[in-house]
Amino acid sequence: AGWTPLGLLCRHLKAHSPEVSQSSPPLSPLAEESLQDWEKLGTACPDDVMRPPTHFADVELEVQDEALGRPVRVWCHRVVLAAASPMWRARLQGEQAPRLELDALHCRSSVVLMEALRFIYRGRFAGGLGDDWALLWQLLCFCVHCGLPEALRGAAADALLRGLTRPEAGSVTPILLRGARAVRLTEAQRRHVLYRFLRLPDACASAGSE
């Protein structure tokens, strides 16, 4: 007696998947594997935006930075970008100009772009976005859209999920729940997100018409 429909659903989910109530979310399959330290390749990684090109850099990535209100360009290496993304490989094969413009729908932050590039060049997730859920979500969507390395997508997902235990994460939880399959969260991760969503005090209002 006294159980609400959402409360019953939350109770059922916890009973059949007790791991959802743990403070630490399930990690992506590649998250705990050690990645190769590409030390020599890492030395060619662009240090910052709008800097002169590093040795042998032959293509610019351009992103329309929403926060800065202007385009930002980063010099990179065509062969590295082609190896990191099948989408970039296809575009670079047909591009004559040494510039690759990113779709603003999926990446609109030079900070997000640099986070992805550091992983591509160095093979390690830098964690430079901290707990900024908007930027982490953008990175996650960017990875899926461009087909960036699976280990980077998993690291971005893990960083985003770790923040769901905080009270102020309520605004991002419904967004992540709706897009969980699109960004390829595992089944255990989707259950964790659902559980966190059901624990929100305004879960019904957050769900809207869905």
Side-chain angles (χ1 to χ4, degrees):
W3 287 97
T4 65
L6 285 180
L8 286 171
L9 181 57
C10 190
R11 183 185 183 189
H12 175 81
L13 186 63
K14 185 176 180 180
H16 289 80
S17 304
E19 72 279 2
V20 300
S21 61
Q22 297 177 3
S23 57
S24 299
L27 295 178
S28 299
L30 297 178
E32 295 180 330
E33 294 184 10
S34 59
L35 299 175
Q36 181 181 2
D37 187 8
W38 303 327
E39 293 180 358
K40 293 182 179 180
L41 181 58
T43 61
C45 180
D47 293 326
D48 206 347
V49 298
M50 307 302 280
R51 293 282 183 87
T54 57
H55 293 301
F56 307 109
D58 55 358
V59 63
E60 278 186 304
L61 279 181
E62 181 178 289
V63 57
Q64 293 291 333
D65 195 295
E66 191 174 51
L68 298 177
R70 59 177 174 82
V72 172
R73 301 183 185 96
V74 185
W75 276 100
C76 301
H77 302 80
R78 185 180 297 261
V79 66
V80 175
L81 299 184
S85 163
M87 173 182 287
W88 291 349
R89 183 189 308 119
R91 289 187 60 188
L92 287 168
Q93 285 176 342
E95 291 282 347
Q96 299 300 321
R99 181 177 299 166
L100 194 62
E101 296 181 4
L102 301 181
D103 186 350
L105 183 63
H106 299 96
C107 184
R108 51 196 174 275
S109 168
S110 57
V111 179
V112 169
L113 175 59
M114 288 303 302
E115 186 75 16
L117 288 176
R118 290 188 183 102
F119 181 92
I120 290 169
Y121 276 85
R122 296 171 180 163
R124 293 183 178 179
F125 185 62
L129 303 182
D131 57 0
D132 189 316
W133 297 293
L135 293 183
L136 287 169
W137 172 249
Q138 189 178 148
L139 175 61
L140 185 54
C141 295
F142 183 46
C143 288
V144 173
H145 175 69
C146 294
L148 297 181
E150 178 62 19
L152 174 58
R153 187 209 61 82
D158 292 343
L160 188 59
L161 290 173
R162 278 193 291 269
L164 295 185
T165 57
R166 302 185 181 185
E168 60 269 27
S171 60
V172 76
T173 307
I175 298 173
L176 186 55
L177 182 61
R178 293 188 185 100
R181 290 186 182 275
V183 296
R184 302 203 301 271
L185 295 189
T186 66
E187 183 178 350
Q189 289 173 332
R190 294 199 301 270
R191 287 197 299 265
H192 180 82
V193 175
L194 176 59
Y195 179 79
R196 292 298 167 190
F197 173 76
L198 293 173
R199 300 277 292 177
L200 294 176
D202 56 347
C204 286
S206 298
S209 59
E210 301 179 23

